[in-house]
Amino acid sequence: MVNRLVTIMARLRDPQAGCPWDLAQDFASIAPYTIEEAHEVADAIARADMADLKDELGDLLLQVVFHARIAEEAGHFAFADVVNAISDKMERRHPHIFGDGSGGPDQWEQIKAEERGQKGHDSALDGVALGLPALMRAEKLQKRAARTGFDWPDASGARAKIDEELAEVAAATADDHRAEEIGDLLFAVVNWARKLGVDPEAALRAANGKFERRFRAMEASAGDAFAGLTLDDKEALWLRAKADEAAAHG
């Protein structure tokens, strides 16, 4: 079945009879679509929509096949090489399943570190993808640093750092300095969340959803008059939407 998709992509990229749009693409031009499709997979999972998840997983698979086809045309690798590489990696990282039975799941990070070393990576931070969402990348950088012992012993140190960064934001007078300090503040909040065992990316995603629900409820309540309401009136609608949501949940 996967071969059918691989064949379709080869046809779309045929220099003589292919699709002009598909032929015009390269790794860089389709990378944003790849990221977008991954987020749409996550969205379908969050909504527990299995029919949509099936479709979105297909769209994401298409992106993998697309990248592999471009690579094959350039003589780098083919889709089969991608499949073999990930199969080898999964077996290598699960020696307790596919090896001699020794070790356990905790070997995963150790094996990954050894692989990074074999690739010539000198820093514990090497391999943390630049294309990750900023909150997720901050958390991954912090986790990597923590494995070297560079970490607060408990959540209190991370919490105190937030107060320090807040003060530095307040003291900043130039726009570029203020932006830098807000970045440091966000990084500190991610660190505190990590120490509390909270996924910051998931937490912010949930907060976005909550804001959207409540704001839409405000709009629905006020109708066409919403835009002309005073801030106090809108705040009252917000509190009502918040109370209605709390009542609906028990």
Side-chain angles (χ1 to χ4, degrees):
M1 281 184 267
V2 173
N3 286 338
R4 180 186 174 196
L5 182 57
V6 171
T7 301
I8 289 171
M9 181 52 64
R11 177 72 180 276
L12 291 172
R13 293 276 299 182
D14 183 272
Q16 279 73 47
C19 169
W21 186 89
D22 291 281
L23 284 167
Q25 304 311 307
D26 57 22
F27 293 122
S29 68
I30 63 172
Y33 297 103
T34 308
I35 296 169
E36 180 181 345
E37 296 300 348
H39 283 299
E40 290 181 359
V41 166
D43 179 67
I45 292 171
R47 292 183 286 104
D49 188 332
M50 293 300 103
D52 201 18
L53 178 59
K54 177 192 67 177
D55 289 342
E56 297 301 344
L57 286 171
D59 291 343
L60 184 58
L61 178 59
L62 174 63
Q63 296 298 309
V64 176
V65 172
F66 206 153
H67 282 288
R69 180 62 197 179
I70 295 172
E72 183 176 4
E73 292 168 0
H76 300 310
F77 56 82
F79 180 75
D81 299 311
V82 175
V83 175
N84 286 332
I86 187 58
S87 297
D88 290 344
K89 182 185 294 184
M90 294 304 292
E91 290 178 349
R92 186 172 62 250
R93 291 184 179 178
H94 293 83
H96 55 296
I97 303 296
F98 301 105
D100 59 9
S102 62
D106 58 339
Q107 286 185 299
W108 177 273
E109 289 300 336
Q110 177 187 338
I111 294 171
K112 284 178 65 176
E114 291 172 355
E115 291 172 355
R116 288 194 295 271
Q118 292 168 1
K119 291 180 179 179
H121 293 171
D122 298 322
S123 171
L125 304 182
D126 284 344
V128 180
L130 289 170
L132 289 172
L135 286 180
M136 187 181 297
R137 189 164 193 268
E139 183 185 27
K140 284 184 175 291
L141 289 170
Q142 292 167 6
K143 285 181 175 179
R144 290 282 190 88
R147 292 187 198 121
T148 72
F150 188 65
D151 195 17
W152 300 107
D154 54 45
S156 62
R159 176 62 184 85
K161 186 67 175 175
I162 293 174
D163 291 333
E164 177 186 327
E165 297 299 346
L166 276 168
E168 292 180 2
V169 171
T173 55
D175 289 345
D176 57 346
H177 186 203
R178 188 176 298 110
E180 177 185 349
E181 296 300 343
I182 286 177
D184 292 344
L185 173 61
L186 291 171
F187 193 85
V189 171
V190 170
N191 210 7
W192 190 36
R194 181 179 62 84
K195 298 300 290 185
L196 294 175
V198 173
D199 179 343
E201 188 75 25
L204 184 56
R205 190 181 305 119
N208 288 342
K210 181 166 59 178
F211 177 85
E212 184 175 8
R213 287 193 308 272
R214 292 176 182 175
F215 191 86
R216 288 179 182 275
M218 291 165 60
E219 291 177 313
S221 178
D224 294 338
F226 179 75
L229 295 177
T230 66
L231 180 58
D232 286 343
D233 289 336
K234 289 174 181 174
E235 178 66 18
L237 287 175
W238 173 268
L239 293 175
R240 186 189 309 167
K242 183 177 178 180
D244 288 347
E245 189 172 276
H249 287 84

